[in-house]
Amino acid sequence: MQTFFSIAIDAFAYGMVLFVISIGLSVTMGLMRVVNLAHGAFAMIGGYIASYAAQDLGLGYAVAVLLAVIGTVIISIPIERLLYRRIYGAPELTQVLMTIGITFCIIGIANYVFGPTLKTIPLPATLQGSADLGFRSIAIHRLFAIVCGLSVAGALWYAIEKTAFGVELRASVDNASMAAALGVRTEIIYAVSFAVAVGLAAFGGVLGAELLPVEPYYALRYMVTFLVVVSVGGAGSIPGALLACLVLGGIDTTGRYLMPEFGEFFFYLAVIAIICIFPRGLAGRAR
Amino acid sequence: MNHETVTKTARQNRTIGRDLIGIGAIIAVAAIGYLLFPDNLALLTRIIAIALLVLSLDLVTGYCGVATLGHAALFGSGAYAAGIAAAHFGITNPLLMTLAGILGGAIAGLICGVIILRAHGLPQLVLSISLIYLFHEFANKASSWTGGSDGLSGISPDPLFGVYEFDLWGQTAYVFGVFLLLAVFVLLRFLVRSPFGMLCRGIKEDPLRIMAMGASPKIALIKMYVISGAVAGVGGALNAISTQVVGLDSLSFTQSAESLVMLVLGGTGSLFGALTGTVIFMLFEDYVSAANPFHWLTMVGALLISVVLFAPKGLYGTAAGFIGRRMEKRK
């Protein structure tokens, strides 16, 4: 029972971190049809900025998170303008190569600037330690990750389902040229959702630094995980991504707890099984 | 003789002429490599083994339009099949080891093909990535057979034809590799021009139309995957024979991604493109990573971005297109 409980909490927290990082990827992939392998690199940049701000400049955690999100979005703007613009609507292979190239460059630069060592982001005293629930205690940081993930999911749901921007976004996802013909400024929708996606990735990178440690090969190591989440959930679907994160986080964490010697064997086996059964993802719509 | 047959024979002559030029070019490059780097034949043999992997990737990506980031699974399976045959079953004849590699690669190709072809687009890519990780974890776990992360050692191939020993200088391995590459190249030239090769190109262009014509795209693609696995298996076996060790890195995601990079660098959908890309990338990697290992990844990334932006058809494709246009103009 004890083991089950700790697995459940860890899986939930891990799934929420995955969700915060990959939901932006899911939305942009559904919207712009770009296979973006560089998404993890943005999460990594966020982690590096937060670590630099908190450790070297001695700023507070909240300020570091804010700086990480804003800084990563600012870095991503020229990359989007100069490189991503050229591959919208290009064949998949081209997109894969371009974004792998971007990832490699970012890894190389991070390695040069920050060195190959692990970077930590010191937690504030309020997030350290553990909360006592009476029958069990839980690390507060795990709770914080879960709360953040749920609020991001709620905020995104509200923004997409209830606001005028959300209506235009959904229209552009369904049929971009028709939405443009009806007067939706699709470039602005694209730019805003790309910025939000990158910002969320950076936020997730900082939030998950305890579970997914920040180092130069972060972008390559977890790139596959984020891509898997999007493809299992179905590109462009928030409930799908949430479900995929919980299922995959659960499988991965359970595997690590109960059969650590098998590594990620069961994770990938589950991914293959799910995609074979649901080729469009758990919540994917037929096109 | 009517006009049609005349143009047909003319075209046949031209393609045969190009085949001969291709074979001549491979032999010439191999000889130049031998003369330029006599002390580094191990690198050249490795280039040949990877070239076989890239050729096999070209068969499914360039000719059939299947995007995969897990093609090293076929290469590594071939390498492990050849290595296990030698280390556990005492089959040390290099030709039989190559045959074991072909068999191992073809079986892995069948498994991967059946699974990868179930989806399209992003899910297909993710399936291929999951497969390569699954193969990697499996080889890591089955360490009594594969040696796990230590690598499979104890492979000592017999002298080729009982005469030429696989020694430290690697001359035998190099010449053996060149002959394997030539044989595979000639066979593949026939394959891609055969009706079956044309069918695969048709599937890449428009699978729906091929179905309407009465052919089954899926079966044709799975067949191509098995053939591709056999080719990759030759490369894997060559690597196992020449280095006498098989490591987990031959089944890695990095190897798969690098082979895709090499293919696109040279140009997809052309056997010459695959060969050109491999040679340029491997020499570039050898030079840059020796000069500055830290900036190696940045350079590769920049190279990739510039190829996508400035030479979308790959180096060979762009050069061939440029020369073709010049020739047209002159006419």
Side-chain angles (χ1 to χ4, degrees), chain B residues 123-175:
Chain B
Q124 187 173 58
L125 210 59
V126 170
L127 273 181
S128 71
I129 298 174
S130 305
L131 270 174
I132 184 74
Y133 276 103
L134 208 59
F135 271 69
H136 186 270
E137 286 293 327
F138 182 76
N140 193 11
K141 270 294 75 172
S143 52
S144 56
W145 284 97
T146 60
S149 49
D150 295 338
L152 177 66
S153 52
I155 305 167
S156 44
D158 286 342
L160 190 60
F161 306 122
V163 185
Y164 305 104
E165 265 188 67
F166 287 96
D167 53 12
L168 211 56
W169 309 111
Q171 285 170 345
T172 316
Y174 182 57
V175 176

Side-chain angles (χ1 to χ4, degrees), chain B residues 94-108:
Chain B
L95 293 175
L96 285 180
M97 281 172 72
T98 312
L99 208 63
I102 292 176
L103 210 65
I107 292 171

Side-chain angles (χ1 to χ4, degrees), chain B residues 53-102:
Chain B
L53 167 64
V54 177
L55 277 177
S56 99
L57 179 62
D58 197 15
L59 288 184
V60 294
T61 300
Y63 288 94
C64 300
V66 179
T68 160
L69 273 171
H71 213 68
L74 316 185
F75 177 80
S77 301
Y80 272 113
I84 289 174
H88 292 286
F89 296 103
I91 300 171
T92 46
N93 183 332
L95 293 175
L96 285 180
M97 281 172 72
T98 312
L99 208 63
I102 292 176

Side-chain angles (χ1 to χ4, degrees), chain B residues 11-55:
Chain B
R11 197 182 302 154
Q12 253 167 13
N13 283 340
R14 213 183 315 151
T15 49
I16 289 172
R18 274 176 69 184
D19 286 358
L20 289 177
I21 293 175
I23 293 170
I26 293 176
I27 295 175
V29 170
I32 292 171
Y34 184 86
L35 293 176
L36 279 185
F37 307 102
D39 304 325
N40 212 351
L41 289 180
L43 171 71
L44 298 182
T45 315
R46 173 139 181 94
I47 292 181
I48 294 175
I50 299 297
L52 286 165
L53 167 64
V54 177
L55 277 177

Side-chain angles (χ1 to χ4, degrees), chain A residues 92 97 108 261-262 271 276 279, chain B residues 118 121 123 129-130 137 141 264 298:
Chain A
E92 238 155 58
L97 287 165
E261 70 273 21
F262 276 95
V271 169
C276 281
Chain B
R118 281 191 65 93
I129 298 174
S130 305
E137 286 293 327
K141 270 294 75 172
V264 175
T298 321

